[in-house]
Amino acid sequence: MTILELVQMLAEPLDVAVLLTDVDLERPGPTILYANPAFTRMSGYAASQVLGGSPRMLQRAGTSREATRMVARSLRMDGRFRGVLLNYRQSGEAYLCEIDVRAILDRAGRPEAFIAFEREVVRRRGRPSQDAAARYRPLTQTSLNCATPLSAETALFA
């Protein structure tokens, strides 16, 4: 079973948006290899419209360039990014998207793909409690917390 097949099997029924991309972080990449139905509902794009494209298609003038640079930097350095970006639906409507991206590692420990778990959030009123993530709350109660790093071996044999 390939990583694409495994992710597709696991992500299809989820209410959390899931994207699988290759590891090429240079423009115009990364390339989207898979998008689950929750992603298509959230973004308004059909899977056929995003496959082969880049997640950058969700970003427009209102998206922070510093935040998008931080995504690439974090993925290169740590193989992980967690944060909130201003994205845009196909209709042009802006939405805040909490994103948790992780590298899927091959047997040698090298990134083989990136998997992103995404959900729409809204900004909380008042002061955040301890961390910046507390500034946002999900529109639904779906959790994005994944405690362990993913590898092809643990994903296939867990």
Side-chain angles (χ1 to χ4, degrees):
M1 177 178 284
T2 67
I3 288 179
L4 178 61
E5 292 168 334
L6 179 63
V7 168
Q8 184 175 9
M9 180 182 73
L10 296 173
E12 284 291 311
L14 295 180
D15 291 327
V16 172
V18 177
L19 281 182
L20 182 71
T21 70
D22 67 12
V23 294
D24 181 10
L25 296 173
E26 299 303 320
R27 289 195 180 269
T31 300
I32 298 171
L33 306 172
Y34 169 76
N36 77 339
F39 175 83
T40 63
R41 287 190 301 273
M42 182 176 68
S43 70
Y45 288 96
S48 61
Q49 293 175 296
V50 298
L51 293 179
S54 170
R56 298 172 203 255
M57 70 189 306
L58 301 169
Q59 300 157 5
R60 301 210 179 132
T63 305
S64 165
R65 292 296 151 223
E66 180 55 34
T68 58
R69 284 190 290 272
M70 184 183 297
V71 173
R73 266 195 312 268
S74 295
L75 292 175
R76 281 187 187 97
M77 290 177 53
D78 304 324
R80 176 156 190 218
F81 169 81
R82 183 162 185 216
V84 176
L85 290 177
L86 181 67
N87 279 348
Y88 291 84
R89 300 185 213 288
Q90 182 183 31
S91 67
E93 175 190 7
Y95 67 100
L96 289 173
C97 187
E98 181 182 33
I99 304 169
D100 189 349
V101 185
R102 292 157 182 264
I104 298 175
L105 306 176
D106 64 15
R107 293 179 192 258
R110 292 181 304 262
E112 185 174 326
F114 289 114
I115 187 166
F117 302 93
E118 304 180 2
R119 68 179 172 178
E120 187 173 353
V121 293
V122 294
R123 190 169 176 96
R124 292 180 190 262
R125 293 184 183 266
R127 297 185 115 162
S129 55
Q130 276 105 352
D131 61 25
R135 290 185 186 138
Y136 303 94
R137 69 174 175 78
L139 288 180
T140 63
Q141 292 304 312
T142 307
S143 175
L144 283 182
N145 294 328
C146 298
T148 57
L150 295 175
S151 73
E153 289 180 31
T154 58
L156 291 172
F157 302 110

